[in-house]
Amino acid sequence: HVAHWGSTVWLRHVGKDSASVVVRTEIDATRSPDPAGITLVVRIGEPGKSGSIVSSRAIRMPEFSGGMSQCEVSLSVPSPRLWDIDSPHLYCARTSVLRNGRVVDSAETVFGIRTAVFTADSGFVLNGRRVRINGVCDHHDLGPLGTAVNVSALARQIRLLKDMGCNAIRTSHNPPAPELLDLCDRMGMLVLDEAFDCWKKGKTPNDYSTLFGEWHERDIRAYVRRDRNHACVIAWSSGNEVWEEENGELVGELRRIFRSEDPTRPVTAACDRPDAGFDGFQDSVDTFGYNYKPHLYGKFREANPAKPLFGSETASCVSTNGSYFFPVSEDKSKGWFDSQVSSYDLYAPQWATIPDVEFEGQDRNPSVAGEFVWTGFDYLGEPTPYGEGDSPSRSSYFGILDICGFRKDRFYLYQARWRPDHPLAHILPHWNWENRLGEVTPVHVYTSGDEAELFLNGRSLGRKKVGPYQYRLRWDEVRYAPGELKVVAYRGGRKWAEDVVRTAGRAARLELSADRAVIASDGCDLAFVTARIVDKDGLLVPAADNLVRFSLRGPAGIAATGNGDPTDHASFQSPGCRAFHGQCLLIIRSADGRGGRITVTAEAQDLAGADFMITSRKARR
C-alpha cells in the first residue's frame, strides 16, 4: 500500500507550454508475503473529476524483498493552469498500486502548479510577478465556537480576510489543522506554516520545551510530510520568538531537517531580538522574519544585501470594536479605559506599533516582502493590555476583526492599503454622542483615494490630501453636533468613494442578516446570523445593549452566540446574548441528514422582533 503521507509531488520545471511534474511514491510492503510484481499507475487530472486526465504514466517497480521502497514517476502537464491567489487552480495526482495487474491500493494527492520564491530585492515573487504579502497571524480558535475545527467557520474567516485584501496567513504558533490548508489551497490564500513557539528553553510550565529534545525531529518530519503538497504553503517557520535566537547552530539543525523533507521551500524564523538580524543568526535561515522592527528594515538591508526580509509579526494595535474614548490621546500607551480600548487605532503595547508606523517602514524599504499583522481576529486569552489584577477581560484586543468576525475600524485601514484599486472611504467614530454637544470629537477617515472633503450637516469642514507616508486623514477639531457626517473621497481629481454616518434615534427594532441563505444538511455546516438593533429608519444604535433572545424552527440548532465584547463572560452556548454596541451574533448548525426551511427568530424587550429564513439542503457532490 501507499505509505502514510507517502505520495509527494515535486515540480521540476514550470513553463507556459508545459510543466514537469515528479510524483514520488513510498510503498509499504512490510506485511506483504509477496511484494513482487508491483506496478504504479499515476494519472494527473482535476480534483473530484476522475475523467479529467491531462497526463498519465505506468511504471513497474523494481523487485524488492518487502519493507519500504520509493518510486518516482515523471510526467508532463501540457499548458498548465497555474495556482495563484486570484485563480487557485488545483490538480490531483491519482496513484494506483497494482500487484500482478490487480489494484491493491490507491491514493489521491492534490497539488498546484506554481513558482514561489523570496528574493532580497523584489520581495516575494509568485509565478514570475511580485506579490506583496498582505498577511495576518491567527490563533487556531474560532471565537464563540472554541477550538474544535469547523470547516465552514474557517471558510468564513478566509472570506472576510480576502475581502479586506489579505492574501496570507501565518499559523501562529503551531502547525495548522489540515482543513485550513485545504481551504487555503481552494480559496487562494498563502500560508506561512509554523512549527514551534519554543525550542529547548520554555516560556511556560509544561510547554513544548519538555518534549523538544526527544520529539522535535520526528514532529518536523511528520508535519512537513503532511503539508508539503499544499500549493498554499510558501515557507516553513521553525519558531516564534524563541529564547535561543542567538543559537545559529540549533536553527541550522532545524533547517537541515526541514530541507531534507522539502528542499523546495525556504525555512525562516520569527525573531523579536534586534541583534538577530546582524550577529549571524540571520545566516542560519533562508529568509529572515522580524517581529515589530520596522525601524530596522533599512539597517538590515544595508548589512544583509542578499538576504530576503519580511515582517513576520507586525503592528499589534489594540482596539475594541465600537468603543471610543475622549479626549483622543496621541500616546500609544493610552486610550484604554474600563477594560476596553479606544477604536481610533492609535494604541499599542510598548513593544508594538500602530499600523501607520509599519506601513511607513515598508514603504521606505520596498525590498521588504510584506507583513503578517498580529492578528486577523481577536482570540480567546491574552487580553493585552489587560489581564492583570481585577480586569474581567477574557479575550484579546489585537484583532482587525473581533471574536465574532465583526469588522473593526482597522479593517478599513488595511483594506485601503491592501486593495488600493477598491473605492473606499470610511469614517470613524460613529456619530451618536448625546452628552458631547459642542465638544471636540476628532474624525478620522480611511480611504484608498488621494484626498477627501468632510461635511457636517452639509457644511464643509475642509478638503485634505494624503501626504507622503500618511495613511489616514484627520480632522482633529470637529465639534460634535447631531445629524449627518459625510466624507467624499477623490482620486486623480475625480470622485472616488463616499461614506456617511448619521445620528440614530431611539432603538426601535431588531434587524437580522446572515452570511449565507443556504447551508448543507450535514450536521456540520454553519450560518452566521447578525442581529442589529436599529432605529425606525434602520440606523444602528451604538448605545443599545438589550438582551437578544434567539429561537429556531426547523432542522438546525444553536451552535453558539456572542457579541465581540472582550469582557462578557456569558456562556457562548446561551440561546441569547446582550448586544454590544448595538449588535450580536448567532451561529446555527444544520441537522445531520435533515433538510428544510429554518426560521430564525430574534426578540428583545421593548423592541420589535425579527425573523430570518435559511434553507438547509443536501450538499451537491
Side-chain angles (χ1 to χ4, degrees):
H1 65 271
V2 177
H4 187 43
W5 298 324
S7 180
T8 308
V9 178
W10 307 113
L11 301 173
R12 280 191 177 153
H13 170 74
V14 177
K16 181 178 179 180
D17 297 327
S18 67
S20 178
V21 177
V22 175
V23 180
R24 178 188 296 170
T25 305
E26 188 174 17
I27 300 298
D28 185 345
T30 54
R31 297 187 179 184
S32 175
D34 179 16
I38 302 296
T39 299
L40 292 186
V41 178
V42 180
R43 300 178 177 89
I44 293 178
E46 295 186 21
K49 297 180 181 180
S50 58
S52 61
I53 305 302
V54 297
S55 184
S56 64
R57 188 179 176 191
I59 187 169
R60 185 175 180 84
M61 292 189 65
E63 298 295 326
F64 65 105
S65 58
M68 308 290 286
S69 181
Q70 282 189 351
C71 183
E72 290 190 355
V73 179
S74 297
L75 304 98
S76 178
V77 176
S79 302
R81 296 176 61 187
L82 301 186
W83 185 94
D84 211 312
I85 52 178
D86 297 321
S87 55
H89 186 79
L90 294 170
Y91 290 91
C92 180
R94 299 179 178 87
T95 301
S96 299
V97 183
L98 289 77
R99 188 172 71 179
N100 298 324
R102 183 174 65 89
V103 175
V104 295
D105 194 23
S106 61
E108 293 192 349
T109 305
V110 177
F111 69 99
I113 296 176
R114 52 98 174 123
T115 61
V117 61
F118 284 83
T119 71
D121 54 352
S122 299
F124 177 67
V125 179
L126 179 66
N127 297 325
R129 79 184 194 286
R130 173 164 188 175
V131 173
R132 184 169 65 185
I133 294 175
N134 300 329
V136 299
C137 305
D138 263 332
H139 274 203
H140 61 287
D141 73 71
L142 294 168
L145 292 167
T147 61
V149 172
N150 181 281
V151 172
S152 59
L154 285 172
R156 173 182 179 252
Q157 285 195 340
I158 295 173
R159 286 195 298 270
L160 289 168
L161 291 173
K162 287 183 74 71
D163 183 50
M164 181 173 61
C166 176
N167 61 20
I169 294 173
R170 173 181 171 222
T171 67
S172 45
H173 303 292
N174 47 263
E179 292 88 345
L180 175 64
L181 297 184
D182 290 341
L183 286 168
C184 289
D185 278 346
R186 297 201 301 267
M187 299 176 72
M189 183 70 75
L190 307 171
V191 174
L192 174 57
D193 204 336
E194 190 157 86
F196 306 124
D197 195 30
C198 65
W199 295 341
K200 293 179 180 179
K201 297 179 181 179
K203 298 179 179 178
T204 59
N206 299 317
D207 63 14
Y208 192 79
S209 64
T210 63
L211 305 170
F212 185 86
E214 180 181 359
W215 280 95
H216 73 272
E217 180 167 356
R218 280 180 282 180
D219 284 343
I220 290 173
R221 293 191 185 280
Y223 113 93
V224 173
R225 289 175 186 177
R226 186 197 70 169
D227 294 353
R228 63 190 174 188
N229 291 313
H230 286 280
C232 62
V233 176
I234 57 173
W236 307 107
S237 174
S238 60
N240 170 69
E241 298 181 357
V242 296
W243 294 118
E244 300 96 329
E245 279 185 10
E246 77 287 349
N247 192 336
E249 182 177 347
L250 179 53
V251 74
E253 176 198 344
L254 299 180
R255 178 183 176 276
R256 176 189 59 79
I257 299 169
F258 276 101
R259 295 304 295 266
S260 69
E261 294 293 342
D262 177 18
T264 69
R265 292 178 177 88
V267 178
T268 188
C271 302
D272 66 339
R273 187 173 59 88
D275 290 343
F278 308 98
D279 60 6
F281 184 89
Q282 76 278 17
D283 297 326
S284 302
V285 293
D286 300 308
T287 182
F288 187 78
Y290 249 148
N291 289 9
Y292 311 110
K293 300 296 183 291
H295 58 288
L296 292 181
Y297 291 161
K299 181 180 177 182
F300 179 92
R301 176 54 63 233
E302 290 179 4
N304 304 277
K307 179 67 64 174
L309 171 67
F310 68 102
S312 44
E313 192 170 312
T314 64
S316 276
C317 184
V318 285
S319 65
T320 301
N321 194 15
S323 292
Y324 307 92
F325 302 138
F326 305 96
V328 175
S329 173
E330 297 299 319
D331 185 340
K332 75 171 185 177
S333 64
K334 306 292 184 182
W336 38 83
F337 173 75
D338 196 25
S339 296
Q340 304 293 357
V341 183
S342 179
S343 192
Y344 271 94
D345 301 330
L346 294 171
Y347 310 107
Q350 178 273 329
W351 38 264
T353 70
I354 64 172
D356 313 52
V357 175
E358 176 65 33
F359 295 165
E360 181 175 350
Q362 293 182 47
D363 288 346
R364 289 186 181 274
N365 300 277
S367 67
V368 176
E371 65 175 317
F372 290 89
V373 182
W374 191 266
T375 55
F377 291 83
D378 281 341
Y379 52 92
L380 298 171
E382 202 169 43
T384 306
Y386 299 107
E388 301 291 338
D390 297 328
S391 170
S393 305
R394 57 95 173 101
S395 58
S396 80
Y397 299 80
F398 292 117
I400 301 172
L401 299 100
D402 72 16
I403 204 166
C404 291
F406 295 143
R407 296 167 172 85
K408 299 184 185 181
D409 291 299
R410 216 175 332 141
F411 179 97
Y412 302 98
L413 177 61
Y414 282 99
Q415 189 178 58
R417 177 170 175 84
W418 290 352
R419 296 181 62 187
D421 295 329
H422 171 67
L424 170 69
H426 174 76
I427 294 173
L428 65 99
H430 61 70
W431 211 237
N432 296 266
W433 304 105
E434 183 179 350
N435 299 319
R436 293 188 56 78
L437 185 64
E439 294 191 33
V440 172
T441 307
V443 175
H444 291 195
V445 170
Y446 301 149
T447 181
S448 53
D450 50 35
E451 57 182 320
E453 187 171 10
L454 187 68
F455 299 87
L456 177 56
N457 294 325
R459 180 173 63 88
S460 175
L461 301 183
R463 185 160 169 165
K464 296 178 181 286
K465 290 187 177 183
V466 178
Y469 309 118
Q470 186 178 6
Y471 306 97
R472 66 179 82 197
L473 294 174
R474 299 175 58 160
W475 286 260
D476 288 329
E477 302 303 322
V478 178
R479 293 188 178 275
Y480 177 72
E484 178 186 272
L485 190 65
K486 176 180 178 180
V487 68
V488 179
Y490 298 87
R491 187 162 175 177
R494 296 184 177 182
K495 183 177 178 180
W496 178 247
E498 67 177 49
D499 188 29
V500 178
V501 293
R502 297 182 177 90
T503 305
R506 295 182 58 184
R509 58 185 174 88
L510 289 165
E511 183 179 85
L512 297 179
S513 61
D515 68 325
R516 295 188 295 162
V518 179
I519 58 176
S521 57
D522 57 6
C524 297
D525 206 6
L526 305 175
F528 292 77
V529 181
T530 299
R532 301 170 76 246
I533 298 175
V534 299
D535 67 4
K536 62 181 179 59
D537 297 318
L539 295 175
L540 180 74
V541 182
D545 61 356
N546 305 60
L547 177 64
V548 180
R549 299 178 300 275
F550 296 105
S551 60
L552 303 178
R553 296 193 307 275
I558 294 177
T561 56
N563 58 16
D565 181 359
T567 68
D568 191 340
H569 287 253
S571 170
F572 290 131
Q573 277 69 55
S574 300
C577 64
R578 193 166 295 280
F580 182 60
H581 294 309
Q583 62 183 357
C584 58
L585 182 73
L586 166 70
I587 307 174
I588 70 169
R589 178 181 283 114
S590 66
D592 190 8
R594 294 171 52 208
R597 177 173 291 184
I598 303 161
T599 303
V600 181
T601 299
E603 299 174 299
Q605 187 174 354
D606 300 326
L607 299 177
D611 292 331
F612 192 86
M613 298 296 181
I614 294 174
T615 301
S616 176
R617 64 188 183 202
K618 188 175 181 179
R620 294 180 179 178
R621 294 289 182 181

